[in-house]
Amino acid sequence: MVTRVQKINPDSFMAEELEEACKILKSGGLVAFPTETVYGLGGDAFNPLASSKIYKAKGRPSDNPLIVHIASMEDLYRVADGITDSGLKLAEKFWPGPLTIIFKKKEEVPLSTTGGLGTVAVRMPSHKVARELIRQSGVCIAAPSANKSGRPSPVRAEHVIEDLAGRIDMVIDGGGTGIGIESSIVDASGSEIVILRPGYITKDMLLGVVDKVTTDPAIESRIPGEGITAKAPGMKYRHYAPEGELLIVEGSQSAVAGRINTLVEEKEKEGYKTAVIATDETKNLYKCKIVKSIGSRKNEASIAAGLYDILREMDYLGAQYIYSESFDNDILGGAVMNRMIKAAAYHIVQA
């Protein structure tokens, strides 16, 4: 299969530029497209064959649910049933935007799209290209991140091409994404709102709309989630991982720097190529040939936006052992740490 690349300016494009992508989706093919979070790998959510193609292209376990992307509130009623008042309030407040909401699914939505579950994860992206692609195609688009399963999520079209060229029909190149981490996911299919994946939409923001929000214990776990039923993408399997071995070091700034410098020295003496993931404020503390800043601790959004870029850069540099500082579990720091812990396969040490 030859993967076609269609370049589009997200701020100034014509509907005609999406015609070929729409034809592909309608015929059961796969199109990768930009959103405000990461690039998605899209297929017709109502077509079981398209869903199976997504799992095959990514090498994704079939019990890991796909998120259905919609363009309007009318689309929500095409895919979801028994829509709760609290879920509807969140949709009205945060859509379009980086929040995925889980509802009971309509019978017409194939189990192959929902990972065998009776619920469906739904999101309305705010990215202009994504919204127009859904609207123009008339297809509710099932779309996980457009990368090989387990790899860092793609925030640029070249990341998609690197992972999926020859496996999918088209990549829409709309430049870099903005937020840089996947959407927050909440389960609104029951009597209360439960956070299943942290993201840009935080618990405090949710509490500004509904009275009670709980967090699934699997999010805060520091051990692998064996036996977890994957109600949402990213709950069960190792994700976001670079090719080298990643270790997260927690503790005070000085203790972390000291421990990482010792680990770097040990591995370099053994002949391994090492790298350090630091921040603008701490990058000068490390004695390593490769030290990369993920962003500034004064601006958590910069750390979130830089996460997947820096993990992929570790691969380009050939780093065999990667040591990273930890990040605060407040506001976006919790979302970043959720991804980092999975990328490190739960390898965390105290300085």
Side-chain angles (χ1 to χ4, degrees):
M1 177 186 293
V2 176
T3 300
R4 178 179 171 184
V5 179
Q6 173 75 45
K7 282 187 173 291
I8 286 182
N9 183 339
D11 297 318
S12 176
F13 66 94
M14 303 293 289
E16 291 78 10
E17 296 179 71
L18 295 174
E19 284 182 355
E20 184 62 29
C22 291
K23 290 178 183 177
I24 291 169
L25 289 169
K26 289 177 182 178
S27 65
L30 302 185
V31 176
F33 60 96
T35 77
E36 71 276 20
T37 56
V38 299
Y39 272 75
L41 175 57
D44 183 351
F46 288 96
N47 185 336
L49 179 59
S51 297
S52 66
K53 286 180 180 179
I54 291 172
Y55 286 112
K56 183 177 180 180
K58 284 177 60 71
R60 179 185 178 97
S62 61
D63 64 346
N64 201 1
L66 307 177
I67 294 175
V68 177
H69 291 62
I70 62 175
S72 67
M73 291 301 290
E74 288 76 14
D75 287 340
L76 174 61
Y77 292 91
R78 293 174 61 191
V79 299
D81 205 0
I83 296 170
T84 58
D85 289 342
S86 57
L88 188 58
K89 285 179 182 178
L90 293 176
E92 289 172 343
K93 173 66 176 179
F94 295 110
W95 284 357
L99 178 67
T100 294
I101 307 174
I102 294 175
F103 299 100
K104 288 183 172 62
K105 80 175 188 72
K106 278 282 183 68
E107 187 177 345
E108 293 82 357
V109 179
L111 290 172
S112 57
T113 295
T114 64
L117 300 176
T119 54
V120 60
V122 190
R123 183 166 99 81
M124 187 189 296
S126 61
H127 195 285
K128 293 178 182 178
V129 173
R131 290 279 302 285
E132 179 59 23
L133 179 65
I134 301 164
R135 188 203 66 75
Q136 189 175 326
S137 69
V139 170
C140 294
I141 300 179
S145 54
N147 57 305
K148 285 183 182 175
S149 186
R151 294 278 292 136
S153 296
V155 294
R156 305 178 192 282
E158 48 263 41
H159 297 163
V160 182
I161 295 164
E162 178 184 321
D163 280 8
L164 299 180
R167 293 168 174 255
I168 63 177
D169 299 285
M170 176 179 281
V171 178
I172 298 174
D173 182 354
T177 60
I179 294 171
I181 57 173
E182 301 84 355
S183 61
S184 308
I185 299 179
V186 299
D187 187 349
S189 63
S191 58
E192 61 183 31
I193 300 296
V194 183
I195 298 173
L196 302 183
R197 184 173 71 187
Y200 186 83
I201 304 300
T202 65
K203 185 174 183 177
D204 285 346
M205 294 166 71
L206 297 170
L207 285 170
V209 181
V210 295
D211 294 332
K212 185 177 180 181
V213 177
T214 60
T215 301
D216 191 292
I219 289 178
E220 297 167 347
S221 174
R222 296 301 182 92
I223 58 174
E226 295 298 329
I228 289 176
T229 298
K231 301 179 200 173
M235 289 191 72
K236 185 175 180 181
Y237 298 97
R238 185 186 183 214
H239 281 274
Y240 324 119
E243 293 175 1
E245 185 174 307
L246 174 62
L247 179 72
I248 299 169
V249 182
E250 295 186 321
S252 68
Q253 188 177 95
S254 59
V256 167
R259 181 68 181 275
I260 288 179
N261 283 332
T262 299
L263 291 168
V264 165
E265 184 178 5
E266 290 172 355
K267 288 301 179 184
E268 287 186 345
K269 283 182 178 178
E270 295 173 11
Y272 293 104
K273 191 170 187 178
T274 64
V276 174
I277 298 175
T279 59
D280 292 350
E281 293 83 3
T282 60
K283 60 186 178 182
N284 294 326
L285 299 176
Y286 297 100
K287 301 173 183 176
C288 183
K289 292 178 182 177
I290 301 174
V291 180
K292 296 294 180 179
S293 172
I294 193 173
S296 171
R297 289 186 181 272
K298 298 176 183 178
N299 179 5
E300 284 187 329
S302 70
I303 293 175
L307 175 61
Y308 294 133
D309 258 335
I310 207 167
L311 290 178
R312 284 187 177 262
E313 188 175 3
M314 294 294 112
D315 291 346
Y316 305 150
L317 294 169
Q320 296 165 289
Y321 286 89
I322 307 158
Y323 302 100
S324 176
E325 301 173 356
S326 65
F327 301 96
D328 296 332
N329 283 314
D330 59 351
I331 313 179
L332 285 180
V336 171
M337 280 301 292
N338 173 264
R339 275 71 169 178
M340 288 288 284
I341 289 170
K342 291 183 183 298
Y346 296 86
H347 294 154
I348 309 165
V349 299
Q350 296 295 320

